Amino acid sequence: MSSITLSHVKRAYNGVLAVDDVSLVAPEAKVLAMLGPSGSGKSTIMRLIAGLEPLAHGEIRIGDERISTAAHTLPTEQRRIGMVFQDYSLFPHLNAGANVAFGLDKLGRAERDALALQWLDRVGLKHRAQAFPHELSGGEQQRVALARALAPDPHLLMLDEPLGALDHTLRVSLIHELRRILHGSGKPAIYVTHDREEAFAIADRLAVLHEGHIMQTGAPELLFKKPVNAWLASFLGLGNLIKSMSAPPNTAAVTFGCFTFAESINLPEKSACALLFRPKDLLINAQPLGAVNTFDAKVIDSVFMGDYWQVNLRVQGLDLEAHSGQSHPAGTSVTVTIPPEKI
Ligand code: ADP
């Protein structure tokens, strides 16, 4: 088993860097999710790892072996990388078993069929070995594609928006199964998506890309709790983000007042900064006006979301979102409180 490592990788098109100094590690038996908006460089990184394009700078290694440098690109077919794409790419004229057996051409017939069946079993589809792609649901086809990618014992698995063609319900049920299969395979996997829920659900490590740069890499919980900058917080949909001016040791000024934090901030006086707090941590009518971090607000509307009400509020021209256990009528005046330890 081996990990895959990208070190200071660059790739430009027509003089413009699409991938700019990217360093990443996909560790053994772990899933690295690459998340980023369209155009952030995800597909380019996949093509570089697959050896479909040369890189301009840096190197890519599988274990200790250099597979791409600026001077040398190991051919794709020698990299032993299993790929799964959004459109399944199964051969329509072959049944599920034959699709999985396809890449096992170095083995004898009996051995090949047995291994294909073994992999179909691991993705829960042994009983569908005789079925043709058009007889399988989208989710089943994608599991066959996964079995086909894993059967030749690749060094690495790459999945490019594998659930992109499926509806939401199926995606949610399949993501946990995919995670189980990928972990069970013992291979490093790189999972590309623009869907943050999917990325959080599948990732052991998460790398977020923006304009060819890695914004942050780490455990999903780390990125969720401590996003490195305002762009990332906003991209991850982490909640209310407001511009402020630091007033050390533990306060910051915003247009409508001053926020107090539980911890000291490590910034010089009057630095521009952004405050982040989650909708569930914004409390409505919990404190009287004048209590710490308590402000006057107007309810714009309340939207029922199932587990909670999303209450949209305006505090002196600034829109904030709260998640509340109850509805608040539009137009009502309320107080909102953000506990210092939640900012
Ligand atoms: P993503 O997969 O995150 O949507 P891409 O890797 O496809 O992003 O693209 C990253 C950037 O590189 C984009 O600005 C895109 O327009 C550019 N790009 C990608 N492929 C090519 C190409 N073959 N020729 C020119 N520009 C490209």
Side-chain angles (χ1 to χ4, degrees), residues 85-88 138-139 142 160-168 170-171 194 198:
F85 302 99
Q86 176 170 337
D87 60 3
Y88 323 132
Q142 203 52 305
D160 193 357
E161 303 271 2
L163 306 183
L166 305 174
D167 65 50
H168 182 74
L170 197 52
R171 282 214 314 263
H194 68 277
E198 214 173 290

Side-chain angles (χ1 to χ4, degrees), residues 15 18 35 50 77 83 97 141 161 167 203 207 227 247 265 299 324:
L35 174 69
E77 60 278 9
M83 310 269 271
Q141 289 187 58
E161 303 271 2
D167 65 50
I265 45 172
V299 176
S324 171

Side-chain angles (χ1 to χ4, degrees), residues 13 18 37-44 47:
Y13 298 107
S38 180
S40 57
K42 304 181 297 295
S43 306
T44 306
R47 290 197 300 272

Side-chain angles (χ1 to χ4, degrees), residues 11 13-14 16-19 36-45 47 53 160 192 209:
R11 167 75 173 146
Y13 298 107
N14 311 318
V16 180
L17 283 169
V19 173
S38 180
S40 57
K42 304 181 297 295
S43 306
T44 306
I45 293 177
R47 290 197 300 272
E53 292 189 15
D160 193 357
V192 169
L209 279 166

Side-chain angles (χ1 to χ4, degrees), residues 279 301-306 308-312 321-324 326:
D301 58 12
S302 292
V303 184
F304 182 58
M305 302 299 285
Y308 59 89
W309 290 84
Q310 179 182 317
V311 185
N312 296 308
E321 182 185 323
H323 292 175
S324 171
Q326 65 189 87

Side-chain angles (χ1 to χ4, degrees), residues 105-123:
D105 49 355
K106 293 198 178 69
L107 303 177
R109 176 86 199 249
E111 212 181 336
R112 198 169 68 194
D113 290 351
L115 192 59
L117 215 53
Q118 216 175 2
W119 272 105
L120 279 178
D121 195 20
R122 286 176 76 165
V123 300

